[in-house]
Amino acid sequence: MNSLQGSFKLSSIALAVAAIGLATSAQAAQTSTEEKMVVVSSRTPKAISDIPGTVWYIDSQQIEQEYRGGKSLGEILAATIPSLDVSSGARTNYGQNLRGRKMLVMIDGVSLQSSRQISRYMDSIDPFNIERIEVLSGATSIYGAGASGGVINIITKKAQSKDLKFESYVGGTSGFNSNEDFDYKIGQSISGGNNNVKARLSAVYTETQGFYDGDGTIVTPDISQGSLQYNKTVDLLGNVGIDLSETKRLNLLAQYYDSQQDSPYGLYIINRNFIDVRRGFKSDREHGTKRVMLSASYVDDEFLGHQLLAEASYRKEDQTYTPYYQASGQQVTDVYAMKLALAKQLDRLNLVYGIDGYLDKFDSNQALYDPTIASNSGDMINRTFAKVGRYPNIDVSSVAAFLQADYALTEDWSVEGGVRYQYLYNKIDDFVAYNQQRRIAAGQGASADAVPGGHTNYHVALFNLGTIYHLSDESQIWANFSQGFDVADPSKYYGQGNYTLVGDHWQLNDSINVNDSKMEAIKTNSFELGYRYDDGELALQSAAYYSKSDNSATYNRTTMLIEEVSDEKRVYGLEAMSSYWLSNHIQLGASGHYVVSELKGDNGWEDFTASEASTSKASAWVGWQDDSLAVKVQSQTMFDYEDDQDNKLNGYTVFDLVGSYQLPVGSLGFGIQNLLDKDYTTIWGQRAQILYAANYAAGAYDYKGRGRTYTLNYQVTF
């Protein structure tokens, strides 16, 4: 990225931010000065105005307005969080970074992260079940491994009273390109209880069909990470809150989420050359995500002079992939976790301390498809003839202790800081390299040496220190330092080897094994300086940041396995959002993110690869609201990016309209996505062409954005 491009991007975003605004509703203008409490910054409820960090709060009104206008969870987050990259428009959120780095995503405090980083966090819950979303931008030591870019905590809807309450939703989306261009969703919830027990149970079913681009052509199926075309999703969610006494509460959560693709379209491939997209695709395995999640949290406001917060959770995920090179994977993760925190206030001093722990168990397999059937059909018909291991089985154990404290120096000035010590233990099984297993299944050899497994461990101490000063009741300025920590995907590093066939046995020559090739951890130091203002009419939050990590992962473009973890990486930029109510009915708004990602190479700092680097973005919008009608028109722009290897990401601007109209009973929601029917390739489609260039021609990964679509739905609460 040259300096002229950088200046253009920065000036463009500065102009956008100067336009001011966030458009949600007139009611938001009346309540925006009320203190919003979040738990994402310190594990316990804390007012945003007291946090020395960049916090974004997406309330239920914003979420409802966006999803009723036809947006997915990933699109909602991209539209409302300035420093989050634009949405992939697909199943994956690979490369959708927060402040240029990977993020930790949680549902009610339960992490969706696993040792095998599959990047399907946005395919995790239907927005119908979301109450609010709390976001902490930037590396944080509070949550440990996996939060080097920040934290997104999705808070689910819960029963608000003991009265019996029903919420019903039905809606559809279409671009009217064919009889297969129609999606629909139905949702139903019931909540209620008594003075001590309140519960909410909901079910949402979504079915999509074909996606068509701005030219009316069906979008190329995503064979790499998965689209959401021809997909069926079930989201069952239950919450129970139990008041055990005036000071003790128990909350239970259960979710079953199943998102499965069954597409009639596939890529017609002859002799590993991509020809075109055709109907008639059939496969024993396609892209899918199935998850069961259970959690129990307990709060005691008077536990030995402290507030006690405890949580235990279990999550099982079963992820599958569509055929790629006549094979496709299944990856299963089981995660058991616990958290315990104690909070105490001592005059001007607030303390939060406790322990975390989890056990993550990962295993995988690869379905191999009959090569004769697949080749004769152009890879359109895929029937399993064998299953082999895909990655080594890995168990990750972690235990951490933490302490956070904040102290009020004066009525307007406070400091906070903390430390976290985390111990990670990775156990990796012996593993015969995948290529050798595949050859043995095809009759090339009968046995093979295994790449030795073993164990690794990491001891990491993380620190944070920040200060915030209240300039007035409406504004604050802060400075903050925090450290983040990551371990790159061990399944993509270990278990690799070079073999020679001796007779019918594959002999191991050398390998990437645990004892000889311990993978380095990645530690990130992050600095930021920020400012906030909110008087109920004008709202502004902005922050300048700089983060630097001591290592980064380098991938082999052919195998997509990690070759090494080395080279420093730095990311710096500016994020901002501002809003202004012109009247009780009209609000204007804009947000922007200017970001630079660089890797330290032989020639100094170089642009980070376009396959992963964040791009700068900006958005602007105008909204109208009265007692019956709410409508908003908004734009989102992704700017161009080019790395030092001449890989390019072409920017684009998309306009949307979302709104709702109140009826005597219930309300109509409506939206027009891609209002101008722009024909463009999504950011993920462009990244995929770089990532997988060694496999198929670029056209196989040219995932276009969906053309103009219309959404209409009805929702009623009674």
Side-chain angles (χ1 to χ4, degrees):
M1 180 181 68
N2 58 43
S3 58
L4 179 61
Q5 285 178 304
S7 299
F8 171 73
K9 291 180 182 179
L10 183 57
S11 61
S12 298
I13 295 175
L15 288 172
V17 172
I20 314 174
L22 171 65
T24 52
S25 68
Q27 183 181 0
Q30 298 166 3
T31 62
S32 61
T33 56
E34 295 178 5
E35 289 284 12
K36 294 184 175 68
M37 308 295 289
V38 297
V39 298
V40 72
S41 70
S42 60
R43 306 270 187 118
T44 58
K46 191 171 186 177
I48 291 178
S49 61
D50 292 331
I51 297 171
T54 307
V55 177
W56 303 105
Y57 185 95
I58 310 167
D59 63 27
S60 58
Q61 292 174 324
Q62 289 175 277
I63 294 167
E64 183 172 320
Q65 185 179 46
E66 297 289 346
Y67 87 73
R68 295 195 65 187
K71 291 193 175 183
S72 65
L73 175 59
E75 292 166 339
I76 294 171
L77 291 170
T80 52
I81 305 171
S83 54
L84 181 67
D85 293 343
V86 297
S87 173
S88 69
R91 188 184 300 271
T92 184
N93 58 273
Y94 181 90
Q96 190 175 13
N97 304 309
L98 186 59
R99 280 196 180 174
R101 297 184 183 273
K102 292 180 179 179
M103 58 199 168
L104 172 65
V105 179
M106 304 184 295
I107 296 179
D108 284 349
V110 179
S111 171
L112 299 183
Q113 189 181 49
S114 303
S115 63
R116 173 80 257 271
Q117 298 165 9
I118 301 179
S119 302
R120 294 185 180 179
Y121 305 139
M122 304 309 174
D123 184 28
S124 60
I125 186 171
D126 192 277
F128 177 81
N129 284 324
I130 300 175
E131 175 64 28
R132 68 182 187 277
I133 302 171
E134 304 171 358
V135 182
L136 180 66
S137 289
T140 172
S141 61
I142 295 171
Y143 291 93
S148 59
V151 181
I152 297 176
N153 189 24
I154 299 169
I155 310 298
T156 62
K157 290 181 179 178
K158 299 172 179 65
Q160 300 300 314
S161 72
K162 64 181 181 180
D163 298 331
L164 192 62
K165 177 181 174 182
F166 297 87
E167 187 175 21
S168 304
Y169 175 96
V170 60
T173 296
S174 178
F176 302 104
N177 290 285
S178 77
N179 59 1
E180 293 183 303
D181 185 2
F182 181 72
D183 312 333
Y184 71 90
K185 177 192 293 186
I186 55 175
Q188 180 64 56
S189 73
I190 179 173
S191 63
N194 55 39
N195 289 332
N196 297 320
V197 180
K198 300 178 182 65
R200 179 181 183 270
L201 177 65
S202 71
V204 186
Y205 177 79
T206 305
E207 184 169 334
T208 64
Q209 296 192 77
F211 293 175
Y212 293 80
D213 63 24
D215 287 336
T217 303
I218 195 162
V219 173
T220 301
D222 185 347
I223 61 171
S224 56
Q225 296 294 328
S227 72
L228 293 172
Q229 293 189 78
Y230 297 99
N231 200 79
K232 298 177 181 179
T233 304
V234 175
D235 185 12
L236 303 178
L237 184 71
N239 283 291
V240 180
I242 306 171
D243 292 329
L244 301 174
S245 70
E246 290 185 359
T247 62
K248 299 179 178 64
R249 298 179 299 280
L250 177 66
N251 292 288
L252 306 175
L253 166 72
Q255 185 196 32
Y256 173 79
Y257 186 83
D258 191 8
S259 174
Q260 303 292 331
Q261 188 174 52
D262 185 10
S263 176
Y265 287 90
L267 273 59
Y268 188 72
I269 297 170
I270 299 296
N271 296 324
R272 297 203 168 183
N273 293 314
F274 167 62
I275 307 300
D276 57 22
V277 175
R278 298 187 181 183
R279 192 176 179 85
F281 176 75
K282 295 180 181 179
S283 176
D284 290 344
R285 183 179 284 176
E286 294 188 46
H287 285 112
T289 299
K290 185 182 294 184
R291 181 177 64 255
V292 173
M293 185 168 69
L294 306 171
S295 76
S297 60
Y298 173 75
V299 178
D300 186 346
D301 294 328
E302 296 181 0
F303 180 80
L304 302 178
H306 292 70
Q307 182 186 45
L308 169 69
L309 302 97
E311 181 183 76
S313 64
Y314 169 72
R315 176 170 58 89
K316 183 182 184 68
E317 289 195 273
D318 185 339
Q319 316 264 14
T320 55
Y321 288 79
T322 209
Y324 196 90
Y325 274 78
Q326 299 180 356
S328 58
Q330 179 183 32
Q331 304 176 22
V332 180
T333 303
D334 291 89
V335 182
Y336 306 82
M338 59 78 65
K339 297 178 182 179
L340 179 66
L342 292 166
K344 186 174 182 62
Q345 183 172 358
L346 300 167
D347 194 21
R348 294 183 177 185
L349 176 67
N350 294 308
L351 294 174
V352 181
Y353 58 96
I355 57 173
D356 297 336
Y358 67 82
L359 171 63
D360 182 325
K361 303 175 71 67
F362 167 79
D363 65 77
S364 63
N365 67 77
Q366 190 86 340
L368 305 181
Y369 299 119
D370 188 303
T372 302
I373 296 174
S375 297
N376 289 342
S377 65
D379 284 2
M380 297 289 284
I381 308 298
N382 298 274
R383 296 290 176 248
T384 305
F385 83 92
K387 288 184 180 179
V388 299
R390 183 62 182 96
Y391 301 108
N393 289 351
I394 297 173
D395 292 352
V396 179
S397 304
S398 171
V399 63
F402 64 90
L403 168 66
Q404 293 290 320
D406 66 78
Y407 182 77
L409 298 171
T410 69
E411 207 172 283
D412 298 319
W413 184 21
S414 64
V415 295
E416 74 171 40
V419 60
R420 177 186 176 91
Y421 178 81
Q422 185 166 358
Y423 173 75
L424 279 162
Y425 179 88
N426 294 354
K427 178 181 176 295
I428 299 96
D429 285 357
D430 295 348
F431 184 71
V432 175
Y434 167 65
N435 284 335
Q436 272 53 54
Q437 292 190 61
R438 186 165 182 166
R439 289 171 179 171
I440 291 171
Q444 302 174 31
S447 60
D449 295 334
V451 176
H455 67 269
T456 63
N457 56 70
Y458 302 89
H459 304 258
V460 182
L462 302 174
F463 301 92
N464 64 282
L465 179 65
T467 183
I468 185 168
Y469 185 78
H470 290 251
L471 300 170
S472 67
D473 290 341
E474 295 83 16
S475 62
Q476 311 92 44
I477 188 170
W478 72 85
N480 184 51
F481 166 78
S482 191
Q483 294 181 310
F485 169 65
D486 287 294
V487 177
D489 189 343
S491 66
K492 281 186 168 287
Y493 183 70
Y494 297 114
Q496 304 179 49
N498 294 314
Y499 288 79
T500 300
L501 184 61
V502 180
D504 63 353
H505 179 77
W506 289 96
Q507 180 178 292
L508 182 64
N509 301 321
D510 58 78
S511 65
I512 298 179
N513 61 72
V514 179
N515 292 331
D516 299 334
S517 314
K518 179 181 177 179
M519 185 170 60
E520 294 295 326
I522 302 170
K523 196 171 186 178
T524 301
N525 293 323
S526 178
F527 305 83
E528 74 170 274
L529 179 65
Y531 173 76
R532 248 189 316 261
Y533 180 87
D534 188 353
D535 66 2
E537 292 184 355
L538 172 64
L540 169 68
Q541 181 170 233
S542 63
Y545 66 88
Y546 176 90
S547 68
K548 184 178 178 182
S549 54
D550 52 3
N551 290 303
S552 61
T554 302
Y555 290 82
N556 182 298
R557 288 285 175 80
T558 300
T559 64
M560 293 308 299
L561 298 174
I562 296 174
E563 292 184 327
E564 61 178 353
V565 179
S566 61
D567 296 334
E568 294 175 87
K569 178 185 175 182
R570 68 180 183 185
V571 183
Y572 58 91
L574 170 69
E575 66 173 306
M577 179 182 287
S578 181
S579 63
Y580 184 69
W581 287 93
L582 295 176
S583 69
N584 289 333
H585 301 295
I586 302 174
Q587 192 183 46
L588 302 177
S591 69
H593 182 216
Y594 173 72
V595 57
V596 176
S597 302
E598 296 176 322
L599 199 67
K600 194 168 187 178
D602 296 335
N603 300 317
W605 290 104
E606 303 171 350
D607 290 333
F608 196 50
T609 172
S611 63
E612 297 180 62
S614 291
T615 66
S616 297
K617 73 169 192 177
S619 61
W621 54 94
V622 57
W624 163 272
Q625 173 101 21
D626 61 21
D627 292 339
S628 300
L629 176 66
V631 64
K632 177 170 69 171
V633 177
Q634 54 194 353
S635 70
Q636 186 168 87
T637 298
M638 182 194 97
F639 290 98
D640 296 339
Y641 184 85
E642 182 175 353
D643 63 23
D644 289 331
Q645 285 73 48
D646 297 326
N647 296 310
K648 298 180 181 179
L649 298 175
N650 296 317
Y652 50 84
T653 299
V654 178
F655 291 86
D656 303 315
L657 181 148
V658 297
S660 62
Y661 184 78
Q662 189 67 39
L663 300 173
V665 178
S667 65
L668 283 177
F670 56 88
I672 306 176
Q673 298 295 303
N674 194 356
L675 189 63
L676 303 182
D677 204 20
K678 184 176 181 60
D679 185 51
Y680 66 98
T681 299
T682 65
I683 186 173
W684 168 237
Q686 297 183 62
R687 291 192 199 279
Q689 292 179 47
I690 300 169
L691 281 166
Y692 304 109
N695 298 328
Y696 294 129
Y701 311 101
D702 190 14
Y703 310 134
K704 294 292 189 72
R706 202 169 181 181
R708 184 189 297 119
T709 57
Y710 304 86
T711 294
L712 183 65
N713 49 69
Y714 175 76
Q715 185 165 309
V716 61
T717 301
F718 58 96

